[in-house]
Amino acid sequence: MRSIYDTSDESIAIVIRNQHNSDPEKVGITDAYTGKVTRHQLQPHGTLTYFSESKKTFGWYDVTIQVASDLSFRRQFAGHVENGCDSMTDPLIAQTVSELAEA
């Protein structure tokens, strides 16, 4: 896995590759800011790119990747896309996920 930042639109792309498994892998991706969970079937040696726009969260992101074949596998990408401009405090510090999703 690797992440790619786009400072111009405050987004992040996470590139996920099924490189160690000869079988298809079920991948779950959770966005902590929206509460949205997406599921994908990743073929052997296949690649998936997940995009997370963070303009509504002032450049903050929090994405967790999990796989069905290994319940202990969990990778979290969380932080702030730095673009040299002033920003706001992380919205999740003061709000619950459900409050943020309603906004």
Side-chain angles (χ1 to χ4, degrees):
M1 271 186 261
R2 67 185 175 110
S3 57
I4 304 165
Y5 302 93
D6 184 348
T7 59
S8 65
D9 69 354
E10 299 179 11
S11 65
I12 181 174
I14 300 171
V15 180
I16 305 162
R17 182 178 163 113
N18 183 0
Q19 62 189 22
H20 298 295
N21 198 341
S22 59
D23 296 319
E25 183 63 73
K26 293 178 183 175
V27 177
I29 303 170
T30 305
D31 185 321
Y33 286 96
T34 63
K36 182 178 177 183
V37 177
T38 57
R39 302 193 191 288
H40 303 274
Q41 181 97 351
L42 191 54
Q43 296 303 316
H45 306 287
T47 301
L48 164 70
T49 302
Y50 176 82
F51 294 95
S52 177
E53 294 182 18
S54 56
K55 280 193 181 232
K56 290 182 179 179
T57 57
F58 312 108
W60 294 94
Y61 59 91
D62 189 343
V63 177
T64 301
I65 315 294
Q66 295 178 286
V67 296
S69 66
D70 182 357
L71 298 179
S72 69
F73 181 89
R74 177 185 172 106
R75 298 294 182 271
Q76 184 174 17
F77 293 84
H80 186 261
V81 178
E82 297 296 334
N83 60 5
C85 298
D86 290 340
S87 185
M88 301 290 285
T89 302
D90 182 346
L92 284 183
I93 287 177
Q95 292 182 323
T96 66
V97 172
S98 60
E99 289 172 336
L100 187 61
E102 292 171 6

